[in-house]
Amino acid sequence: MTTTHGTAPVLPLPPAAARAATAAGAAATLASTFLAWTWTDDFPGDLTVTGYPGGLQVLTLVGALLTALFAAAGYGFKGLRWLTPAGTTAPVLWLALGTLGTTWYTITAISVQLGGLANLEPGGWAAGLASLATLLATLGLPADRATEEEKPTGWQRFTGSLAATAARPAQALPSWAEILVIAASFGIGLYVFTYGIDTEYGELFIGYLILVGFAFGALHRAGLIGRLTALTAKHRNVTLAAAFAAAVCFPFTQTNDQYTSVATNILIFATVALGLNVVVGLAGLLDLGYVAFLGVGAYAAALVSGSSDSTIGVQFPFWAAVLTGAAVSLIFGVLIGAPTLRLRGDYLAIVTLGFGEIFRITMNNLNGSTGPDVTNGSAGIPNVPDLNLFGFDFGIEHTILGVPVGRFGNYYLLMLVVTAVVVLVFRRAGESRIGRAWVAIREDETAATAMGINAFRLKLLAFALGAALAGLAGTVQAHVTYTVTPEQYQFAGPVPPNSAFLLAAVILGGMGTLSGPIVGAALLYLIPAKMQFMADYQLFLFGIALILLMRFRPEGLIADRRKQLEFHETGQLDVPEQRLPEAAAGVGTAKAEA
C-alpha cells in the first residue's frame, strides 16, 4: 500500500505562496478585530471601540489566531508539529471556515438589526474581506498524505474521513506527562464551556457555536482528538477524576446563580439521559415514555419531603426521600416492564409511549374530583422545601473556599455527586457480564437466546435499573424546581427534559457510551436555554440538526468502535497498516515450511 502527496490544490497556487497567503490573511483578520465594526452601541457587545476587541470580535480574533497557528504548524515549524499529527491542510481549512462563519454572521446580524450594511465601519468590511481571503488561500494548500485506494479529490481532501490520512506515530510520553495532558485538556474544556454558558446575549452564543463547532472539526481532522481519546482510554480512572474535578470547579467560576441554574438542569437532564442509555444504548429497548420515571421519582419525593401542599403530610430526611423516589420508580419499572418487554421494536415503543401519556393523565386526574386527592391534579405539588442535609441548607448562599456559592450552586454540587453515582453504576454495569449480555441482546436477541441468555429477565433488569436512575434524578429535581406538575413530563415539548429530547440526547451523544449522553444532554439543554429569542423556530432548527447528524454522523458525536464500523462500512478488513509486513512475512515463512 503506497502513499502519495501528488493531489493538486483546489486553487492553482504554489504551496509556499498558499501558506504565506493563509498566514497573511489570518493576520489581517486578527488585526481587523482591533478596529471598530459599527458606529453605534445598539448592537450588543459594543463593537464601536478601536484598539480593544469586544463581543463577537473576540471570537473572530480567536479563530484567526488558531488559523495562523495551525498554518504555521503546517509550514514546518518543529515546535508546532505536535498540533497536526494526522494532517496539516484540513485543520487550517476548518478553522478558516469557522472564522469566516463567525465574522460574516456578525456582519449579517449588524445589518439586520441596525438596518443595512451602511451601519458597518471600515473595520467590519476589513474583517469580512480578510476572512474570505484567508479561506480562498487555504484552497491552494497541498493535500494531506493519503492512500492510493482512497485518494481524495476536490473538497474531499478537507472533509473526508481520517482513514484517508496517514498520521505520524505518536511520540511516547512518560505517564506523568500524559496525565498532565489530560488535566490540561479538561481545564481548557472547562474554560470553553464556562465561556459558552456565560454568554450574555443570543448573538454571541450563536457565534460561539459556529466557532466551537468548526474548531472541534479542525482538532479532529488534525488528529488531536484521536490522540487525546487514546490517552483517556489508557488512563480511565485519571480521566474520570479529572472530569469530576473540572466539573466541581464550575460554580466557583460564577459570580451569580443565573448561569449555574442552567448547569444544574443540564446535570439533571444528563443523569436521566444516562439512565435511558442503559435501556436504549446497552439493551436496545426503544423506550418513548422514559420521562415518566423521572416524574415518578419527583412526585414521590415531593409527597414525602414536607411540602405544605402534600396530601400525605409527612417529612422524610433527604436520604429517605431519595431512596423512596428511586424505589418507587424501580417498582413502576418492573410493573410496566413485566407485561410489555416480551414485545420488540415498534410494538414496545408504542406501549412505552402509552405508559408515558397514562402517567401524565393519571397525575392530572388524582385531584379529588375525578379521582383520589393525591397529586392536586394540574396544580401539582408546590412549595417543596429546600434540602437541609446535615445542617447544610441548600436554599441559602454559603461561602466555600472563600467563594460565595448560591442556591443553584449548592444543588449543582449535589447533582454532581448524583451524576457521579449514576456514571459509576453505568460503567460497572456496562463492563459486567450482565452488560455484555445486554449488548448481545441488542445486537441479536434470537442469537443471544440461543446461546443460553435469559433475554426477558435481563431486559426487565435493564428497564428497572434505568427507571431507578431516573427516579434518583427526579428526587433532586423536585427540590430544585420547588414545584412538580404533570405538564413537566410530556413526550415532546419546547422545554426539556421530555421523552423525545432524552432519546435525542442519547442518539446525538452516542448510544452505549459513557460520555456521549452527557454531551448530548448538555447541548440539547444549553442551546434552547441560550437561544430563547428564537423560540418560534427552535423545534424547526432542532429537526434540521437531527437530519444533518443522521446524514453525516449517524453513530453520534462520541461513538464506540462498534458503532463506527456499523455505520461506516468500508468493505475491507480492519487490519492496521503497520502490521501488514509482519503478516506478509508470516505467510512467506508458512509457504517455505510447506
Side-chain angles (χ1 to χ4, degrees):
M1 185 178 297
T2 60
T3 60
T4 180
H5 298 264
T7 52
V10 177
L11 293 181
L13 288 176
R19 295 192 186 279
T22 300
T29 305
L30 189 151
S32 69
T33 62
F34 291 87
L35 303 175
W37 284 15
T38 183
W39 61 274
T40 174
D41 59 2
D42 290 342
F43 187 82
D46 193 8
L47 309 185
T48 64
V49 180
T50 298
Y52 187 81
L56 285 159
Q57 289 176 320
V58 175
L59 298 178
T60 296
L61 184 150
V62 172
L65 183 62
L66 290 175
T67 304
L69 192 63
F70 275 81
Y75 199 72
F77 288 92
K78 292 184 179 180
L80 298 176
R81 290 189 63 189
W82 60 273
L83 284 174
T84 56
T88 60
T89 299
V92 179
L93 176 76
W94 277 77
L95 290 169
L97 281 171
T99 307
L100 178 77
T102 304
T103 304
W104 279 93
Y105 165 74
T106 306
I107 293 173
T108 304
I110 291 173
S111 303
V112 171
Q113 291 192 24
L114 301 182
L117 292 173
N119 293 282
L120 286 177
E121 288 289 294
W125 289 108
L129 294 176
S131 61
L132 180 60
T134 305
L135 176 64
L136 294 177
T138 61
L139 301 182
L141 296 176
D144 292 325
R145 190 170 46 178
T147 63
E148 287 286 354
E149 289 80 0
E150 210 169 338
K151 227 191 264 189
T153 59
W155 285 87
Q156 293 178 359
R157 301 180 312 121
F158 308 108
T159 60
S161 65
L162 278 178
T165 306
R168 293 192 300 271
Q171 182 179 359
L173 295 174
S175 295
W176 63 267
E178 294 177 342
I179 293 173
L180 284 180
V181 169
I182 293 173
S185 300
F186 277 101
I188 295 173
L190 172 65
Y191 178 80
V192 172
F193 176 77
T194 302
Y195 184 90
I197 207 171
D198 288 349
T199 50
E200 298 178 353
Y201 46 94
E203 294 84 355
L204 182 60
F205 183 72
I206 293 177
Y208 163 83
L209 285 181
I210 294 172
L211 182 61
V212 169
F214 279 101
F216 181 83
L219 296 179
H220 177 69
R221 292 290 296 152
L224 291 177
I225 298 296
R227 291 201 171 173
L228 180 61
T229 302
L231 290 181
T232 56
K234 181 179 178 182
H235 304 280
R236 298 186 64 180
N237 293 329
V238 172
T239 300
L240 289 176
F244 186 77
V248 167
C249 293
F250 172 77
F252 300 100
T253 65
Q254 305 300 301
T255 57
N256 57 62
D257 258 8
Q258 178 182 359
Y259 301 121
T260 312
S261 63
V262 177
T264 304
N265 285 290
I266 286 175
L267 281 181
I268 294 174
F269 192 13
T271 302
V272 183
L274 272 174
L276 180 60
N277 198 26
V278 174
V279 180
V280 177
L282 293 182
L285 306 174
L286 184 56
D287 188 349
L288 298 182
Y290 186 76
V291 75
F293 297 121
L294 175 68
V296 170
Y299 264 101
L303 287 171
V304 301
S305 293
S307 169
S308 58
D309 293 275
S310 172
T311 56
I312 296 180
V314 298
Q315 183 170 3
F316 288 178
F318 174 63
W319 64 268
V322 167
L323 293 179
T324 301
V328 173
S329 296
L330 186 148
I331 292 172
F332 268 84
V334 173
L335 292 177
I336 299 302
T340 61
L341 287 179
R342 298 189 186 278
L343 301 174
R344 300 186 187 181
D346 299 339
Y347 302 101
L348 177 62
I350 293 172
V351 170
T352 55
L353 175 61
F355 164 66
E357 291 302 300
I358 289 171
F359 168 78
R360 183 176 59 84
I361 294 172
T362 301
M363 295 300 104
N364 261 318
N365 289 336
L366 296 179
N367 54 12
S369 58
T370 58
D373 187 11
V374 179
T375 64
N376 298 323
S378 59
I381 304 176
N383 301 318
V384 179
D386 279 307
L387 291 175
N388 194 307
L389 188 61
F390 304 117
F392 185 90
D393 190 344
F394 282 74
I396 63 176
E397 183 178 282
H398 296 273
T399 300
I400 303 176
L401 300 177
V403 179
V405 178
R407 175 178 182 270
F408 284 106
N410 299 329
Y411 280 109
Y412 172 88
L413 295 174
L414 175 63
M415 269 310 304
L416 198 58
V417 175
V418 175
T419 304
V421 171
V422 175
V423 166
L424 180 63
V425 171
F426 179 86
R427 181 184 175 189
R428 294 300 184 186
E431 294 176 350
S432 66
R433 183 177 61 181
I434 294 176
R436 292 193 294 270
W438 282 336
V439 173
I441 294 172
R442 181 192 70 192
E443 297 299 323
D444 193 329
E445 184 176 342
T446 303
T449 304
M451 295 300 294
I453 294 176
N454 190 328
F456 173 75
R457 186 177 65 183
L458 288 173
K459 288 194 296 183
L460 185 59
L461 178 61
F463 213 71
L465 178 60
L469 296 179
L472 181 65
T475 59
V476 181
Q477 186 202 34
H479 294 86
V480 171
T481 59
Y482 285 133
T483 303
V484 180
T485 61
E487 297 306 315
Q488 291 175 302
Y489 310 104
Q490 304 180 34
F491 168 71
V495 180
N498 52 63
S499 292
F501 270 71
L502 287 171
L503 185 61
V506 174
I507 297 174
L508 170 68
M511 292 189 297
T513 62
L514 179 60
S515 55
I518 298 177
V519 173
L523 290 176
L524 289 183
Y525 193 94
L526 180 61
I527 292 175
K530 302 298 291 187
M531 296 176 61
Q532 294 180 359
F533 67 99
M534 299 184 66
D536 295 338
Y537 304 97
Q538 279 185 6
L539 289 178
F540 171 74
L541 296 175
F542 174 65
I544 295 295
L546 285 184
I547 291 173
L548 294 176
L549 178 71
M550 293 299 101
R551 170 60 183 85
F552 295 105
R553 195 168 177 82
E555 70 273 21
L557 296 177
I558 301 176
D560 58 14
R561 181 64 173 167
R562 183 192 300 271
K563 289 296 181 183
Q564 287 178 333
L565 292 176
E566 178 181 347
F567 287 108
H568 299 283
E569 185 63 42
T570 62
Q572 299 178 355
L573 295 177
D574 186 22
V575 179
E577 183 180 351
Q578 61 270 21
R579 296 185 61 183
L580 290 178
E582 301 174 6
V587 172
T589 303
K591 288 182 178 180
E593 293 178 352

